[in-house]
Structures are given as C-alpha cells and as structure tokens.
Amino acid sequence: CLACARASVTPRVSERAPSATLVVTRGRLTPRLLLTGEMRAVDAVELVVPRTPTCAVAVRWLEKDGALVKTGQKVLELDNSSFSSQLEERRLAVEQARIALESEIAIQELAIREKAFAVVKARAELEKAQVDADLPGDALPRRDYQEKELARKRAESSVERAEDELGVVKGTLSFVVKIKRTELEKNQRKIKEAQTAIDALVLRAPRDGMMIIADHPWEGRKLQVGENVHPGWVIVRLPDLSVMEVSAKMSDVDDGRKPIGAVERGTLDA
C-alpha cells in the first residue's frame, strides 16, 4: 500500500504535476451512442455488369478504388476473350455465306439464260410452224396440211414448256437466293451482337467524380480483378458527394432511445 512505501519513493507535494481544474456549468446532458456504420452519398451513379450470352464474366482490369475519373474515362474492363473468338468465327461464316450466295446467283442466272434462249428458239419454231400452217387447206394435200397443223401444235407446246421451265428456274433462283441471303444476314447479325457484347464489356464513367469499387454481394469485401461477376451486379459507383447520409446499425440495448425524426449531431471516427 502507499502507506507502506518508502519516503524517498513518495513524491513531494511541490513536485507533483498540477491537477486540471474542472468547472461544472448548467446545461443539457446529451447522451452519446456508439454506432457501427459509414458515411455514404444519397445519390450515386451505379455501373452494373451488362447482360451477356454467358452467365458469368471475369474482371480483366479495374481502376483504383477512390480514383478521380473524367466523363468517358474507362473504369472497368471485363474479359471478352470468348466473344472475340466467336467474332472471328462469325466473320468467317459471313464470308462463306457471301461466297455461297454469289455462286448460287451465278449458277442460277446461267440456267435462266439457257432457259430464256430455249424460249426464244421455241417461239421461232412456232412462228415458222404457224406460217406453214396458215396456208389454205386446199393448197396442200390433206396429209401435208394435217402434218403442218400438228407441227404447229407441237411448237405451241414447246413454247409453253420452255416458258414453264424458265418460270421454274426463276422461282428456284428467288427461293435459293432468299435462303442464302437470310443465312448471310443471320451471320451478320451475330457479328453485330458479338461486337455489341465486346463493346459493352468496357464500362466508362458517365460523369466526373470519385470512383468507388462496390462490395461483393455476399462476401463483404471489395470486388477484385480476376474474379467472376454476374449480370446485374453493381461493380462501380460514382457518388454525388454534395449530399451525404449516415448508414449505421444501432445496438438492441439502445433501441428506442432515439425518436424517429430527431435532429442529431454525429462525430466520425478520425
């Protein structure tokens, strides 16, 4: 105990440090509560993972947390390797479809010219047969007249058959070209979709501000480069720092000590 201590150990009154003077004044006693939370912006622009044909996509590059960015500046890049490989395959498919379309058109146009020539030839034969058949019946023997009339009818049939064949070839050309052109347009749309997906995987700042990396939805940590993220996840926020609010949790034992709507003063942890 202090009473049993040696005299040399006990400091003299004159050597003791002066004690602080506490002054009690009349005022209002303000209770203080310790809350666990954070300051956050009331309004923020959120950049989310775009919808892609794949369920998840990896983060390839990410701007530093808290960095000041400008409008249009790249802040996030997601992995596009799978879409890039598909893009090359679809470009090759488009080229093959274009070659097939041009080849089919050339083949069918050649067939049309051949059938058109057959129609011209058949009509010439018909005109010749009609000239022969237009002679008066009494100017030729009956047998010769009947043969010329039969030749005219055969020529008419030949013209009809040639015209039908020409129509079939033209219809075939229209049908085949339609199929080939549809296939070409389908591959072109796939290229556009792949390019759109690649462009969407690069996220840019819509306005000037401070970039805040969002937390992992269930692991409670910042998202990192290399991990997989899913469509709809918030991955970057650009908060409006002009209006802030406190988001905090109150302990159960303090429940009810603060009425709703009360004006409070907060002191942040330094």
Side-chain angles (χ1 to χ4, degrees), residues 48-53 60 72 74-81 83-84 87 91 191-204:
V48 301
V49 179
R51 187 174 300 277
T52 61
R60 175 183 290 180
K74 182 174 71 172
V75 297
L76 169 68
E77 183 177 350
L78 302 173
D79 185 29
N80 61 6
S81 57
F83 303 104
S84 298
L87 184 60
R91 283 174 177 168
I191 286 181
K192 186 176 180 180
E193 292 172 358
Q195 189 62 58
T196 301
I198 290 175
D199 295 339
L201 295 179
V202 177
L203 303 184
R204 301 183 181 275

Side-chain angles (χ1 to χ4, degrees), residues 39-44 68 207 209-210 212 238-244:
M39 287 281 292
R40 68 184 184 187
V42 174
D43 182 30
L68 298 178
R207 69 182 185 190
M210 178 185 295
I212 305 299
L238 294 173
D240 180 5
L241 302 181
S242 61
V243 181
M244 305 290 290

Side-chain angles (χ1 to χ4, degrees), residues 20 38 57 63-64 77 86 93 116 118 131 149 156 164 175 200 220 234 241 246 248 254:
E38 63 181 0
V57 62
E63 183 61 86
K64 293 181 179 179
E77 183 177 350
Q86 292 177 6
V131 171
E149 186 66 21
E156 289 177 350
D164 291 342
F175 179 72
V234 177
L241 302 181
V246 176
D254 296 325

Side-chain angles (χ1 to χ4, degrees), residues 38 42 44 63 68 78 89 124 163 179 183 203 213 219 225 259:
E38 63 181 0
V42 174
E63 183 61 86
L68 298 178
L78 302 173
E89 293 176 358
E163 289 176 346
I179 293 177
E183 183 178 356
L203 303 184
I213 299 176
E219 294 187 7
V225 175

